[in-house]
Amino acid sequence: MSIRRLPEHLVNRIAAGEVVERPASALKEIVENALDAGATRLAIRLSNGGLDRIEVSDDGCGMDSADMALALERHATSKLPDDAIENVATLGFRGEALPSIASVARLSIDSRVTGSDGWNRTVDNGQFVAEGPAALPPGTRVTVEQLFAKVPARRKFLRSAKAEYAACLDIVRRLAMAHPAVAFSLEHDGRRVLGVQAGDAREERVAALTDRALADNHVIVSLEREGVRLSGVASIPTYNRGVGDHQYLFVNGRPVKDRLLIGALRGAYADMLARDRHPVVALFLDVPPLDVDVNVHPAKTEVRFRDPTMIRGMIVSGLRRALDAEGFRAVQHADAAALSAWRAEPVSPTPIGAMPIFDAAAVAYNPLASSFGDRRSTFLTPPPQARAEPAAAPAPEGQSFPLGVARGQVARTYIVAEAEDGLVIVDQHAAHERLTLERMRRAMEGQENGNRVASQALLLPEVVELEETACDRLEARAAELHDFGLDLERFGPSAMLVRAVPAMLGQSDVQGLVTDLADDLAAYDSALSLKERLDLVAATMACHGSVRAGRVLSVAEMNALLREMEVTPRSGQCNHGRPTWVKLGHGDIEKLFGRK
């Protein structure tokens, strides 16, 4: 078969296959054109998930009739004034989007330049239909109807209208995050589903487009290095999601999906989140055009960095610094579902003045009483199962400390403290687990100066029986474990002999510690870098060396734990991402008692 030159309409359809995969792809190209045209306000309307109709109206610079005709030709663009494609600073630059969309749908463009009349041009599946005057304010209105209606082979591969609508909504959210100076509105089948005003602060825009609660549970990321600037918003570890679809990366204002972000986030939130939980982040990279290649994907959703290692290091460092600066901070507000679980005592019809509060004989203790109101506390009822101890010194005032001062212990698990602005409840095991991990990290950093984590030799070495493969993994990492103060050696084909454990762990469960280390290495060893693997080992050891739930603490011990939490980075969450403390504000307490 001889080689032939393809006709123009077929070339456009082939290009459409690369650029226009679904309604969301067409919407992305049209919105990016509007932003490149200097629009400050965009109104988007969708019908049937964009399958039937997409309409985008903007107040940008507009086009005259000559430019409009040229815009519908392939590789015609106003965004490359010269041949230096490596210096591109706009979202679009190929000049393929409009002719590609027009080849697989009915495309109508209405546009008007300030000071002149509006003009319309319509193309239906690659065929010119009509043009003429149009009435509209300065700007451009692009309408796409019946996408792939005449290309059934492509149409049948589209998903349901709901799925296509979700993809369109995600595209609008990402572009709206990247451009807080532009107002966006989105309507679907006549219902307004998204609206943000121009001039929002970046963190406010991100919270409005993801979750309003993020506004109270985020940190600001800011870092500059070698001409590259990183900024953005990241959730504190205790505010997380079960899926990773709330993670956004923007490069020079362009939303991209890059594996680099996934790996960097895992490194930044290592030991602060369980592996099945994900942070909410929106990161913005401003990179010199010569250091990033945006011309590596037809839809421009991927980029290639000249120095990806430096970019990944910036993301990890920027997030770590921002999270470390927050110290012991955790999720700010009490959970609404948890508050609603509090039960109010039924109101007694007896007047308060007539209630025999001090008459012990007036209300006898009846263990068979059925109603809660009939079982009022009297001096004859058994005392509450709690603990009090004499104060050796006057209790300090809660105003002096962010986490307050200890007032007691509940269920031998939770420390109750009084702070200036409310009641603080601390999970003693989760908190001490984080503190132990940070101590171990500091000890590991000391190894750079020739120091080793202090170890405690066992009076009698302990034999831990494991599977042979688990012993092989531990034996291969014996040198790294030795640096942590854990000395073990092979003891036959299916056992390990433990001679010493880290001193800071105290009287730990050696059997459980070694077994968990073997399990963790089996699950994650091959997928982690050396530093991540060391962090994993430290986290596992810290869990075994922490104050356990069920241990009675003195008031002095409780206060010492609170003070150390206040000065320890990332103490607001344990090594698995769960909060170590929650606060019940005065306003929340007043609501429980009907005072507010």
Side-chain angles (χ1 to χ4, degrees):
M1 182 180 295
S2 60
I3 298 175
R4 72 184 182 100
R5 188 181 298 276
L6 298 177
E8 185 69 17
H9 72 278
L10 187 56
V11 171
N12 285 336
R13 284 196 175 185
I14 293 173
E18 297 177 341
V19 178
V20 186
E21 301 175 2
R22 59 196 307 188
S25 306
L27 177 61
K28 172 180 177 292
E29 299 292 344
I30 297 170
V31 173
E32 287 182 348
N33 281 342
L35 293 170
D36 286 340
T40 60
R41 185 176 64 255
L42 278 85
I44 304 164
R45 296 179 179 86
L46 304 176
S47 295
N48 196 30
L51 296 169
D52 293 345
R53 182 184 175 89
I54 300 172
E55 182 184 304
V56 179
S57 301
D58 67 66
D59 61 351
C61 62
M63 296 180 287
D64 57 24
S65 58
D67 281 345
M68 193 182 298
L70 197 59
L72 290 170
E73 294 184 11
R74 294 190 69 233
H75 303 304
T77 181
S78 62
K79 302 168 187 179
L80 287 176
D82 51 38
D83 296 338
I85 191 173
E86 64 275 6
N87 289 326
V88 64
T90 53
L91 297 175
F93 54 87
R94 286 200 180 96
E96 289 185 308
L98 290 179
S100 297
I101 296 170
S103 68
V104 292
R106 182 181 178 90
L107 176 68
S108 179
I109 303 177
D110 298 275
S111 191
R112 176 188 166 196
V113 179
T114 302
S116 64
D117 297 330
W119 194 257
N120 166 269
R121 189 176 183 90
T122 302
V123 178
D124 189 358
N125 286 273
Q127 301 298 317
F128 171 74
V129 175
E131 65 176 337
L136 75 162
T140 302
R141 179 173 60 243
V142 180
T143 306
V144 179
E145 297 176 295
Q146 298 301 319
L147 185 66
F148 298 133
K150 295 185 179 181
V151 191
R154 295 292 304 278
R155 181 88 175 191
K156 70 179 182 181
F157 282 101
L158 296 179
R159 301 176 65 185
S160 66
K162 288 185 177 179
E164 297 299 341
Y165 159 67
C168 290
L169 179 59
D170 182 64
I171 287 294
V172 175
R173 277 190 179 137
R174 290 176 184 272
L175 290 169
M177 280 185 205
H179 300 274
V182 180
F184 284 77
S185 67
L186 173 63
E187 292 182 8
H188 181 237
D189 291 336
R191 181 174 62 92
R192 185 183 177 95
V193 294
L194 183 148
V196 288
Q197 300 301 314
D200 291 338
R202 178 165 283 173
E203 57 270 23
E204 294 174 355
R205 175 65 64 91
V206 172
L209 294 170
T210 53
D211 191 332
R212 294 287 182 182
L214 183 64
D216 296 323
N217 297 289
H218 73 273
V219 295
I220 300 297
V221 181
S222 181
L223 182 64
E224 192 163 353
R225 182 185 298 168
E226 299 180 20
V228 179
R229 175 171 173 74
L230 172 69
S231 59
V233 178
S235 65
I236 58 178
T238 48
Y239 182 84
N240 52 63
R241 296 293 184 88
V243 292
D245 58 354
H246 289 78
Q247 298 170 354
Y248 307 93
L249 177 64
F250 305 87
V251 178
N252 295 343
R254 183 190 310 278
V256 298
K257 297 180 180 179
D258 200 300
R259 295 178 183 176
L260 180 75
L261 174 64
I262 300 173
L265 286 179
R266 188 184 68 183
Y269 281 86
D271 72 62
M272 288 185 277
L273 279 180
R275 297 187 73 85
D276 60 344
R277 305 299 298 179
H278 305 272
V280 179
V281 297
L283 300 178
F284 302 83
L285 277 167
D286 295 316
V287 185
L290 295 178
D291 291 342
V292 60
D293 186 0
V294 299
N295 191 27
V296 297
H297 191 277
K300 304 182 292 296
T301 57
E302 297 178 8
V303 296
R304 183 179 294 123
F305 297 102
R306 183 178 61 83
D307 189 354
T309 303
M310 190 269 285
I311 297 296
R312 184 187 190 277
M314 276 195 70
I315 294 176
V316 174
S317 298
L319 286 170
R320 281 280 184 175
R321 290 183 186 182
L323 294 170
D324 288 351
E326 293 302 313
F328 58 87
R329 181 179 168 194
V331 172
Q332 297 297 297
H333 297 297
D335 183 75
L339 286 178
S340 64
W342 286 77
R343 297 180 180 178
E345 181 178 1
V347 178
S348 171
T350 307
I352 293 178
M355 191 174 294
I357 299 176
F358 297 104
D359 187 357
V363 182
Y365 172 64
N366 181 8
L368 301 178
S370 59
S371 72
F372 185 77
D374 290 336
R375 287 185 273 116
R376 298 186 193 94
S377 178
T378 70
F379 294 111
L380 298 181
T381 59
Q385 297 301 307
R387 173 176 58 84
E389 68 177 51
E397 293 297 327
Q399 292 86 344
S400 307
F401 307 104
L403 291 181
V405 294
R407 298 303 187 197
Q409 187 181 28
V410 178
R412 299 184 177 184
T413 303
Y414 304 102
I415 299 170
V416 179
E418 180 186 2
E420 182 179 9
D421 54 348
L423 194 68
V424 176
I425 304 175
V426 178
D427 183 334
Q428 65 187 41
H429 171 65
H432 196 255
E433 184 178 349
R434 166 58 65 179
L435 299 180
T436 303
L437 174 60
E438 296 302 326
R439 290 193 208 111
M440 188 163 289
R441 276 184 170 162
R442 289 194 294 271
M444 283 295 295
E445 291 171 358
Q447 291 184 39
E448 298 176 1
N449 301 323
N451 300 321
R452 174 176 175 265
V453 174
S455 63
Q456 174 66 52
L458 299 179
L459 185 62
L460 295 175
E462 187 162 342
V463 177
V464 180
E465 295 185 356
L466 300 165
E467 293 182 358
E468 187 172 352
T469 54
C471 293
D472 291 340
R473 284 188 288 268
L474 288 171
E475 187 177 24
R477 303 297 177 196
E480 294 174 13
L481 297 175
H482 174 77
D483 291 337
F484 280 98
L486 179 64
D487 289 337
L488 45 76
E489 60 188 55
R490 195 68 175 255
F491 193 72
S494 58
M496 300 296 293
L497 184 69
V498 182
R499 296 189 177 277
V501 296
M504 67 180 66
L505 300 188
Q507 296 180 350
S508 59
D509 176 13
V510 177
Q511 177 84 30
L513 171 62
V514 175
T515 302
D516 284 354
L517 282 173
D519 291 342
D520 287 342
L521 290 175
Y524 306 121
D525 191 24
S526 61
L528 299 180
S529 65
L530 174 61
K531 184 180 184 307
E532 290 171 329
R533 192 163 58 241
L534 294 178
D535 280 341
L536 177 69
V537 172
T540 304
M541 289 185 174
C543 185
H544 282 269
S546 304
V547 171
R548 292 292 180 180
R551 174 179 166 183
V552 176
L553 300 179
S554 67
V555 172
E557 288 174 323
M558 289 187 277
N559 279 318
L561 186 68
L562 295 175
R563 302 292 79 79
E564 188 173 357
M565 288 176 65
E566 290 169 350
V567 298
T568 301
R570 300 182 290 275
S571 63
Q573 61 281 325
C574 75
N575 309 343
H576 312 293
R578 295 188 296 271
T580 58
W581 63 274
V582 295
K583 178 175 288 185
L584 201 61
H586 288 154
D588 296 324
I589 299 175
E590 289 172 351
K591 287 179 183 178
L592 291 173
F593 287 95
R595 290 178 173 268
K596 187 174 180 179

